[in-house]
Amino acid sequence: MIILIIFLLVAVIVTLIVYNIHIQKRIESFQNLNERVNNLSVLQDFMKLTGEDDSVESKLRRMNDIVIERYDIKYSTIVVFDGSEYVIKASNVDPKHHETLLNLHNEEIFQDSVNTATPKYVTIENENEKLPYQKAEMGRAKSAMFFPLYIDNIYIGYWIMESGQMHAFDKTDTTIIEVVKDNIISVLKTVAYQDTIENIDRIDKNTELHSAEYLYGKAKNIMDGYATSAVCMFRISNIEQINEEFGRQTGTDIIAEVAKIVRQRMAKEYIFVRYMGPRFVIVFSGVEEGAVEAFLRDMKEEMEELVMLPENEEALDENQVQEYGASPTINMVVSTYYRGTGVEQLTKKLEEYIESAPKTENQINFI
């Protein structure tokens, strides 16, 4: 009888062990599936983020935030070499530690990782130690994973995850993290053109206006806050004649004064850039074409009342200034920008129209 009971107990124990193993496998399978779903979700969020009309810096910061939240990472920092120096593109680490994070490529422990394009995992073994790259920050991070970033086999920087716990990444599925790293590289690669556009913008010295490139970066983000916006390109159509008869300095001065007149009339939500040479662009954010005609007509009239003499011209009375001075004639063309469409295509259409118009044309055109 006792033997039978023992046999039954053993059978029950074996059954429970087998059942527990089965449950554990099911749990592991579920966890793996959950990780895949989570990774797919992260990828989808990255793709959505890449397509949004936002600055490159904002996209990278938000991408870093997604990684921190979805993978429960204490610290995450993305560092990129911009051609002249290493810059932190995104980080949730206190700025006082940024100098250390900007020089990880010089640390001996990571140099082999950079050279071989392989990740590096480092951790401390007791509370009295600190990670090799840390200076005076023992309490912040106790383990880290370092990933060099390459685009088309060209090293561009690195991504480092850090934790306040020892051995925090011992059981981390590196294949999942590698996918995240690849997604970070994809975003960096995708926004590279946008980054170039945003940083190529310059302020024109004569008019103190942004250059045309401003329209394709930061200005587009403003424009896309509205369903439609009226866009006006205007040209000082007689600038070549002014340069020839009065000298280039007079032409330059007229361009500066015309820009000043427009700036004084501009609402803060409108955008005004020196497109190129004697051509300018005004974006009336959120305003329909028909609503800007009266405004443009009044402004055009004020610009064309401007009279300017060469600096070395002798003093003349008012009648002589009107007779002998240089005055601009302004030709304008207006169209509509629709949210999410290409600004460059619209400005190209306006430029083609205004450049193909007769030099004597002096009116407001709607196309």
Side-chain angles (χ1 to χ4, degrees):
M1 186 65 178
I2 295 175
I3 296 175
L4 180 60
I5 293 173
I6 294 173
F7 177 78
L8 289 173
L9 286 174
V10 171
V12 169
I13 292 171
V14 170
T15 303
L16 288 174
I17 291 173
V18 172
Y19 179 75
N20 285 337
I21 293 173
H22 176 70
I23 291 297
Q24 183 63 33
K25 288 183 178 180
R26 291 286 300 274
I27 291 172
E28 290 177 357
S29 176
F30 176 78
Q31 288 175 336
N32 290 336
L33 177 61
N34 190 46
E35 284 181 345
R36 292 191 183 97
V37 171
N38 187 44
N39 185 58
L40 178 59
S41 177
V42 170
L43 178 57
Q44 290 174 331
D45 286 346
F46 279 8
M47 292 175 66
K48 180 182 178 182
L49 184 62
T50 303
E52 289 182 2
D53 290 316
D54 203 350
S55 69
V56 170
E57 298 299 327
S58 177
K59 286 180 180 179
L60 291 173
R61 283 196 302 269
R62 289 164 61 193
M63 179 180 66
N64 202 46
D65 290 341
I66 290 172
V67 171
I68 292 166
E69 178 185 352
R70 297 296 183 85
Y71 294 98
D72 194 25
I73 298 169
K74 180 69 173 178
Y75 302 110
S76 176
T77 301
I78 300 170
V79 178
V80 174
F81 183 68
D82 68 358
S84 60
E85 61 181 351
Y86 284 84
V87 294
I88 291 178
K89 289 294 186 179
S91 180
N92 66 328
V93 177
D94 191 304
K96 67 183 180 182
H97 301 303
H98 283 188
E99 184 176 355
T100 296
L101 294 170
L102 281 170
N103 289 283
L104 296 182
H105 58 286
N106 292 325
E107 295 290 337
E108 184 177 354
I109 193 169
F110 295 130
Q111 287 181 356
D112 186 58
S113 176
V114 171
N115 293 334
T116 59
T118 55
K120 178 72 175 181
Y121 176 33
V122 292
T123 185
I124 61 174
E125 297 299 334
N126 64 70
E127 294 292 340
N128 295 322
E129 294 179 355
K130 65 179 180 180
L131 295 175
Y133 63 87
Q134 292 180 323
K135 308 306 177 186
E137 46 176 325
M138 290 178 61
R140 184 179 69 82
K142 298 176 182 177
S143 57
M145 289 193 74
F146 176 92
F147 296 88
L149 303 176
Y150 281 77
I151 292 180
D152 298 330
N153 295 321
I154 298 174
Y155 171 69
I156 63 160
Y158 48 87
W159 169 43
I160 183 168
M161 303 188 307
E162 299 172 292
S163 172
Q165 303 294 323
M166 293 185 292
H167 295 278
F169 304 109
D170 285 3
K171 297 181 180 180
T172 299
D173 186 345
T174 56
T175 58
I176 297 294
I177 301 300
E178 281 286 343
V179 172
V180 176
K181 182 203 71 173
D182 291 341
N183 291 339
I184 290 173
I185 292 172
S186 295
V187 172
L188 288 170
K189 189 174 182 179
T190 303
V191 300
Y193 172 73
Q194 181 186 347
D195 191 35
T196 300
I197 291 297
E198 289 180 1
N199 288 295
I200 203 173
D201 171 43
R202 296 291 182 270
I203 299 295
D204 177 60
K205 292 182 179 180
N206 292 322
T207 61
E208 300 179 3
L209 297 175
H210 287 283
S211 59
E213 289 78 15
Y214 182 76
L215 290 171
Y216 314 130
K218 296 178 181 177
K220 190 178 189 302
N221 296 332
I222 298 172
M223 295 162 68
D224 282 340
Y226 305 88
T228 61
S229 297
V231 180
C232 170
M233 179 179 288
F234 71 86
R235 187 186 197 279
I236 303 175
S237 54
N238 65 335
I239 192 68
E240 291 83 3
Q241 180 184 351
I242 291 172
N243 288 340
E244 184 177 344
E245 294 183 7
F246 296 88
R248 285 193 170 274
Q249 185 57 52
T250 302
T252 298
D253 292 342
I254 283 182
I255 287 173
E257 287 300 314
V258 164
K260 183 178 179 181
I261 289 172
V262 179
R263 281 204 313 272
Q264 290 172 341
R265 286 174 165 263
M266 290 282 291
K268 64 179 182 179
E269 64 268 25
Y270 298 161
I271 299 161
F272 181 37
V273 303
R274 183 173 184 182
Y275 185 76
M276 192 181 298
R279 296 185 294 280
F280 298 82
V281 170
I282 306 172
V283 178
F284 298 92
S285 309
V287 180
E288 296 182 357
E289 279 187 35
V292 302
E293 184 172 4
F295 176 87
L296 290 175
R297 199 171 300 283
D298 289 345
M299 186 170 63
K300 181 176 182 296
E301 182 178 336
E302 182 179 353
M303 288 189 286
E304 292 181 336
E305 288 176 351
L306 177 66
V307 181
M308 187 165 290
L309 289 170
E311 292 182 359
N312 59 355
E313 190 71 35
E314 296 180 2
L316 302 174
D317 61 35
E318 184 175 344
N319 291 332
Q320 289 175 315
V321 168
Q322 295 295 328
E323 182 177 355
Y324 298 109
S327 294
T329 56
I330 308 295
N331 196 29
M332 293 181 167
V333 59
V334 184
S335 190
T336 298
Y337 169 79
Y338 297 91
R339 179 167 51 202
T341 58
V343 180
E344 60 278 12
Q345 283 84 0
L346 176 60
T347 53
K348 183 178 180 181
K349 179 179 74 171
L350 297 177
E351 182 181 10
E352 288 174 349
Y353 179 91
I354 210 163
E355 287 302 311
S356 63
K359 297 300 182 184
T360 55
E361 185 172 283
N362 175 26
Q363 58 192 39
I364 303 173
N365 307 279
F366 291 83
I367 62 173

